[in-house]
Every structure is written in structure tokens, then in C-alpha cells.
Amino acid sequence: MLRSVTSLHRDWSFLPADDAARAGARPRGRAWTAVTLPHQHAPLPANYFSERRSQFVSWYRRHLPTPAGLGDGRVFLDFDGVMMVAAVHVNGRLAFTHRGGYVGFSVDITPFLRRRAGADNVVAVRVDARLHADIPPCGRVMDYQTFGGMYRGASLRVVPGCYLDELFVRTPDALAERNTVLATATVRNTRAADWRGAARLELYDLKDKRIAVSAPVSCAAPAGGTAEIALTLEGLDGIQLWELDDPRRYRARVVLLDGRRTADAVETLFGFREAVFTREGPFLLNGRPLKLIGLNRHQTYPYLGAAAPARLQRRDADILKYELGCNIVRTSHYPQSPHFLDRCDEIGLLVFEEIPGWSFIGDEGWKALACRDVEMMIRRDRNHPSVILWGVRINESADDHDFYTRTNALARELDPSRPTGGVRWGVNSELLEDVFTANDYAYRPPEQTINEPPVTPYLITEFGPLTDARRTAHSAVLVNFAMVHAEILNAMYGHPRVAGAIGWCAFDYHSQDWVTVDSIQPWGMCDVFRAPKLGAAVYASQLDPAVRPVLRAATRWKVGDQAGFDPNEATMKAGHDAPLVVFSNCERLRVYIGGELRGEYTPARDRFPYLPHPPFFCTGLGTLWGPSWQELHLVGLVGDAVVAEQRFPAHNDARTLAVSLDDPALRADGADMTRLVISHTDEYGNVQAHSRAAVLVDVDGPATLIGPSPLALAGGVAAVYLRAGDTPGRVTVTVRAPEFGVERRLKMKIE
Ligand code: GAL
């Protein structure tokens, strides 16, 4: 038999309560509901909810027929992540318990299955979502919520009795004229007889064209034992590198042969690339220096907790790269969805991935689980070309020589091709890693903008002012927040020994009661719905204007709410005469007030000598910027071409309802989702940050609304999600703002 993998995201029954008798029993009574994965076990609003909401035990249950033609094959359940302790029962018997919610795990359920093909089996998973002080990241309060449930995917994997596992592909000489692929894998022989055969390595491009195949190498695995195999392809011609603007990938396939017959095969996508943190400091991608500019990402979403399906995970990668202009993301503070990482590979976004934790280190048992997390993270993700660095410390924990000697050794053994990092607070700590990765909140303008690296290679893994940068904040707060990010990025670009800087953070995120005002931490460049705030423009404007022209004024164009930076006095100013700050990647900026050209400006290169695209400071516009309130019109030029514009009206009667769906079509799999963003804007698209308009959302067709209706906008914007049903069809979404007498209709397909 050949291996097969089938998604198990459908047909689960869910009971939001503990009941030991449930492991084998039939789901009876109204308390059980039908759910699909990913699934957050407790319903959530967008904000104002305690982490305690998720602290309970629930059960998931489904039927599973015994696969036909199994013979001496093995059957695995593969879970991508279950929060926080999963006890997997099959036909009433406990098959496996996994502790820890951020790495996936597999359960060999073969001994628990009824043998007859097609026989009914019951899989029941007891999910304990409570914070367990003996499991990372728990042990103390922390600045994120863990949520709960079977919040990622699950699948059924059927393999022959002697099968392949743990494929790891390396490209040791990616920059050489002729390339090499090294593949290692484990042969697991679960049969009662020794196995003898051969294995070969095949290489394909993404159009399935076979590029090379190795000669078969003989191998043997004893009965009940394993064997490691290593296969090589050498002298490969015409290989294209995995580059950020052209991230070419290839497919490696290892085939296990019984004579000439294929006994089993495993494959993975990978890329040819060389990522080096040099001794002197600079980071090199494929031999060329690249300053790393990025943001931290938490995996949480309104209403969904961490249970966002593939499409939403993938979209976050797109937002980071295309809307925020990042070339790197840190998966703060745990391994994230495989779908997110796949998309990073696909679009060319580098990743610094780290183990679960937040400043606390537990006892020996806790540390053993953290080492297990290092191992599972690396085994899962070491074929991703996007991943360039392993975080093997608990974020911002104290030094622990023995513990971190262990995590580093483990990472180097499991993946000799990538360096280790491990995030500490500040610059005083023992370096056991290959790269000194440090959070830098030391910003003290103007003399000391960033810490001096104590050693190289050195990467800043968090920075930024921890002020409440909600869209509703006063402009003085928001402009200052954005300016500090710009200053630190400038310092990073200008420091030859700093490899890069990853700001705190990409998206507002849900956190525990003790640290938040409303369960949401407000220092994202985008809000929790992923709608951009002012800070986003600092990052986005570092993009090449040929990729995307960006022009975003740090103003609401209201006399009562104006702040800016005065370059002459080198200080922030609030008030009606504060100079206008504009974040843009244009070469020149023209400012028109009431249709009259009031000035032409160039980027503030003297203050930001290193930033690819410094902000503009529009001085000399005068008090109130004019004799009366008139329209502001900003025009951005590259060469002589107008590439970007922004306008602000001179009235307060904004009544436009902007509505957009991220995707025109979803898959009819009961789990796929897209985002519907609703904002109250003026006629030029500027979000009305203090709007409290209420909207009604109606969904007609085979899709479900995830989120409330009526829905109150938060800072002028809110989003809900639409989840596909199981049947194809057309969906009409109607959004109404009764106050404005406005109705908008959008169409979508479920296919
Ligand atoms: C850092 C921490 C982050 C986040 C940030 C802002 O110290 O590493 O996880 O909590 O502060 O609060």
C-alpha cells in the first residue's frame, strides 16, 4: 500500500465541558455541537475578555473508519496544534497525551483501531486549555493569551509497515555554479521482519518537471527498528536561488524501493539560498548584504482567538511583506501556523522562529518540555527556506547557562545549517547562541537611539515606544509613536554592526488581564483587525516606490488635533501650528491648501541619513495652515510623475461607508474564511478615527458571519469574518449603516 494523507478538519462533535465518560460514549444530548477545525473552544468578542474564559476542559469527538487495504500499515493522527493538553482516545482507550499547545504531534493509533476495513472507530480528544504552570509558556502572568481548543488542523496519515519519516533537505553550496542537494530521512520498520531495499532522491521544479534523480542507494532497517539514510544530488545546473523578490522553490522527493517497486515516498518543498549572519555584523542573503527590517507577529484574531484557518494565516504574511514592507518577521513568542510559514516561503519573507515562553523559566520538567519544543519546532520547520534563525531561549528570560547550553546544542545537532538566537532583554547576558538577539527598549533621544551591540552578529528583536497607539489616540501620541519607530529604524540602517531590527509589533494582540486596558495590546502597526494605523506608514514607506508608492500624512487635518515634528527645534510639537509630517517613499511632495500650492518638500534626509525613505517635514505652512479651513491635498512625485496622493476635506460630515472583502471566493470546506473590513471614511478614504457608527451585516447564502451584527466600529474600523459552508453557492453580504442611510452589497462565491 502507498501512503495517503487526508484532512480531518470536518465532522467533529464538540462538548464544552469535561466528562471522563465521554471518551468512548456516543455524543448524546444537546450540549454537543458540530464543529470544523480550526476551532476556538470558547466564543469570544473582539475585546474585553479575560484569559479565564479559555480556562476549561472540553471534548472533541469524531468517527473514523478503519482504512481499507491497511495490511501491516500504520495509521497516524497528525495534529498541527491543540491548546494546551490533548489526551487522544481511540475507541475508549487513551492512545497518547501531548502537553503544550504550539507544536504539532502525531499519534500512532494502529493498535487501537478495529481491524476490519471500514469498521467504525471513535476518536475522542480531551482538551485541557487551562494554563498549566508546568508547561511552557505558562508559569507566571504573560503578555499574550493562549486561548484553547483544537485550534489548528488535523489529518489522518496512513503509511506502509516500513515507511519514511523526518525528511530534511539541505543545500550546502547554494551559491556555487553547480549545486548540491543533501537529503536525510529515517526509515521506520514496524514489521516483524528485517527490511532491505533501496532509496533514491528526486528533484522537481514547481511545474513538476523532473530535474534530477540520484542512483538508488541500498539500505536496511531491522525488524522493529529504524535506519538513517542520506542521499545526495550533485552537479546540478541552472538552479534558481530563493530570493526575496523571486522566491524560487523546488520539491525534493525521497523514494523507498522494494526492488523496482515504490514502497513509500516523502517529499518537501525547499529553496536554494544562503543566509549568513557575518562575524562583522551584516546579514547576507545569497551573498548580498541585506538590512533586516521587520515586525513581531502574534497569531491572535478577534472572535477567533488563535483558531484562524489557512487563508487568514497566509494573509498575515502578505500584509507583513506587501503592506508593511517587512523582509523579516519574528514569530513572537512560539512556533506559528504551518500555513503562515508556507506563505513566507512562497512570497519571500524571512522568519525568526522561537520556542514558546515569556520571561519565566520553570523547573526541570518544564525545561525538558522547552527542549522538546526546540526539537519539534526544528523538525517541523527546517525545510522552510524562509526560516533563517532559531530562537532557543525563552523570550526575555534570565541567563541559565545549563539550560541554554542544552537548547543550543540540540538546535545545532538537529539543524547544522542555521544559526541560533535567543531573545534577551538588553545587552547584558551570556552569549551561547550564534547571533546575539536582543530586545532594545533603551531609546533615549537624541544621543542614544539604540543600544551599542556588545558583540556581533547582533539583531534587534523588539523595539518601539510602548504607548497606547490606538487609532483613537491624540495625534501627538500617534505621531510620536511613528517617529520613534522611524528613528530607531534609521539608527539600525546606519549602524554597520547591527544586522537588522524587528519592531514591536505588527498587529495589536490579545493579552492577559493584568497588562491590558481592554484585553488588547495597542502597539501594533495595524489594529487587531489588521487595519493599518499611522505606524504602518513608517514601515510601508520604506518600500521601493516602484513596488508600491506610499504617501500617508500624519494628520487628521483638524485644528484641535494636530501634532508634528519641528526640524528646526528638533522637537515634537502639538497644536495648530505644528509642522505636518508625511510618511512617503516619494522623492518630492507638493502641499496644496485650498487648491493653492503652499510648498514643495523633499524627505528629511539630514535628520534620517540612513533610512531608505525618510519622512517629510512640511514647515512654513503657518498657523492653522491657512486663513480658514480648506482642503489639504498632498501630491507625491517620483521624477516628474505623480505616483501617490492624499486629500483631506475641510468639513466634518464624513458619511462614507467603505466595505471590502479580502477574497472573492472561498472553498466549500466548512472552514475557509475571509475578512470583511468595514470603515467609516470621508469621501477621500480617510478613516474617521473617532467614529462610533453601528453597522448591520447580513449574509445570504452558504456562509456564516463570524463576529457580531449589529457591529460597532472601533476607531472608525471593524472587521468580521465570513466562513464558508459545506456547499458551493453564491453569497451576498449586505452592510448597512442606518445612521447614514447607506447600504452596501458585496458578492462572493463558495466553490
Ligand atoms: C516586551 C515583550 C513582548 C511584549 C512587549 C510589550 O518586553 O518581549 O512580548 O510584552 O514587551 O509589552
Side-chain angles (χ1 to χ4, degrees), residues 397-449:
S397 56
D399 281 354
D400 185 328
H401 180 85
D402 293 348
F403 177 35
Y404 292 139
T405 301
R406 253 166 88 196
T407 58
N408 273 284
L410 195 56
R412 290 176 183 131
E413 183 196 320
L414 288 162
D415 181 5
S417 73
R418 285 180 183 81
T420 60
V423 172
R424 67 268 287 156
W425 169 278
V427 289
N428 299 315
S429 95
E430 184 191 13
L431 178 63
L432 296 165
E433 294 74 32
D434 303 311
V435 182
F436 196 100
T437 45
N439 292 349
D440 182 350
Y441 287 98
Y443 176 77
R444 279 190 294 283
E447 322 74 39
Q448 186 192 348
T449 320

Side-chain angles (χ1 to χ4, degrees), residues 143 333 358 395-396 425 439 441 462 466 504 509 521 523:
D143 184 17
H333 302 294
W358 202 79
N395 173 59
E396 291 190 347
W425 169 278
N439 292 349
Y441 287 98
E462 283 180 38
L466 298 179
W504 192 262
Y509 56 97
Q521 292 293 40
W523 25 70

Side-chain angles (χ1 to χ4, degrees), residues 167-170 181-185 201 229-233 252-254:
L167 172 58
F168 178 28
V169 175
R170 277 181 287 160
V181 179
L182 301 177
T184 55
L201 172 61
I229 52 174
L231 298 159
T232 311
L233 286 171
R253 178 176 161 88
V254 171

